[in-house]
Amino acid sequence: MTKVVDGYLRSPLSGIAPWILMSVLSAPGRFEEAVCFALGLVLLTMWVGARRGIKIHALDTFGAAFFAVLAAVGLIASDDVIDWMEIWAGELTNIALAVFVFATLIARRPFTLPYAKEDTPQEYWTSPLFMKINYVISAVWAGAFTFSAIVGFIGDAVMRDPGNFWTGWVLQLAAIFFAVSFTEFYPDYAGAKSAASQGESEPAPSLLKLIDWIPTFVLVAGIFGWVTDSIPDAVGIGMIVVGIIGSAVIGRLSPKTEKASKT
């Protein structure tokens, strides 16, 4: 359990998780709850990290300040402001985080860099490969949050449906899951490509690992949407079937792909 906690605290996900929570929970009637959960998670992350000797990162500080401001707004703002925030808080959250990540890229200090340094020997910190990996992963996260802000805006402003199953939940979560999968996949992939360019043999991870989460995601989304009547029965059942078949296909392909990558 300790290793799991430390692994979480040392990964970029620890800094991003409160933002994801805020974006997903934000909906009409849930603004205060979403802010409190997000602020509580970021403060808990900072406290546990400090106790375990893990330094506080810029993303943690930014998140604590951002959610504290939103919490203060929730306490003193008028009902009209709260109503507006309930609709747009998810987009504001995604935009704020995307701007933060883009700013770290412009400043040539990708936000993933401090997390990566905690698990990488210091002699590699200035290597071109190490920096490239962090630039690419940070850019993918920036893209994921930008995408989430756009689809959220479509749901709120175009469809006039802040709680829309697709724009408010499925598409945004899919973008986050892809970014998480890419974060796990890309370092090994980039390392293998770099080794190959130098004439060294190093097995590269299968590209299948970038999408192996999709069938389970579709299955769970289908069950949730069907049970909550967020989607028609036929769509829900269809997603469940696709998820089950997709999981079986991924399961059959994965061993073959891994074996092929080692030969």
Side-chain angles (χ1 to χ4, degrees):
M1 185 64 180
T2 300
K3 291 183 179 180
V4 173
V5 173
D6 285 348
Y8 168 76
L9 293 172
R10 294 180 186 279
S11 75
L13 187 60
S14 65
I16 293 172
W19 297 83
I20 298 174
L21 189 64
M22 176 67 191
S23 178
V24 171
L25 292 181
S26 294
R30 293 204 301 264
F31 172 71
E32 291 87 352
E33 291 86 347
V35 173
C36 289
F37 276 119
L39 180 58
L41 180 56
V42 71
L43 293 177
L44 177 63
T45 298
M46 294 168 69
W47 179 72
V48 174
R51 286 180 61 88
R52 302 197 64 79
I54 299 174
K55 66 180 182 179
I56 296 174
H57 300 102
L59 182 56
D60 299 322
T61 304
F62 179 62
F66 182 83
F67 297 127
V69 169
L70 290 186
V73 169
L75 290 174
I76 64 176
S78 65
D79 291 341
D80 289 340
V81 173
I82 295 299
D83 290 341
W84 187 89
M85 292 296 294
E86 287 180 345
I87 295 174
W88 297 103
E91 285 67 58
L92 290 176
T93 300
N94 284 318
I95 291 172
L97 188 50
V99 169
F100 173 84
V101 177
F102 276 122
T104 65
L105 290 170
I106 293 172
R108 298 187 177 183
R109 297 286 299 175
F111 90 98
T112 59
L113 203 57
Y115 300 96
K117 286 182 176 179
E118 293 182 0
D119 292 322
T120 306
Q122 188 170 354
E123 60 265 28
Y124 296 108
W125 290 1
T126 58
S127 72
L129 177 60
F130 180 74
M131 294 301 299
K132 176 185 177 181
I133 289 172
N134 282 278
Y135 272 114
V136 172
I137 292 177
S138 294
V140 168
W141 276 106
F145 287 115
T146 301
F147 174 83
S148 295
I150 291 172
V151 297
F153 177 82
I154 292 173
D156 294 344
V158 179
M159 301 174 65
R160 302 290 182 182
D161 184 8
N164 184 269
F165 177 72
W166 299 103
T167 60
W169 295 79
V170 174
L171 293 177
Q172 294 193 41
L173 284 175
I176 298 304
F177 279 121
F178 175 78
V180 170
S181 179
F182 188 87
T183 300
E184 297 175 350
F185 164 84
Y186 188 69
D188 291 338
Y189 178 81
K193 290 296 183 182
S194 177
S197 68
Q198 298 174 16
E200 301 175 5
S201 178
E202 182 176 326
S206 167
L207 290 173
L208 198 63
K209 291 186 176 181
L210 277 176
I211 61 172
D212 60 3
W213 56 274
I214 293 179
T216 301
F217 178 78
V218 172
L219 173 63
V220 173
I223 294 174
F224 179 80
W226 187 24
V227 170
T228 59
D229 292 326
S230 299
I231 52 179
D233 291 347
V235 175
I237 295 172
M239 291 176 67
I240 293 171
V241 171
V242 169
I244 293 173
I245 295 175
S247 296
V249 171
I250 292 291
R252 291 179 65 87
L253 291 178
S254 293
K256 295 180 182 180
T257 305
E258 291 175 4
K259 182 178 180 181
S261 66
K262 293 179 181 179
T263 59

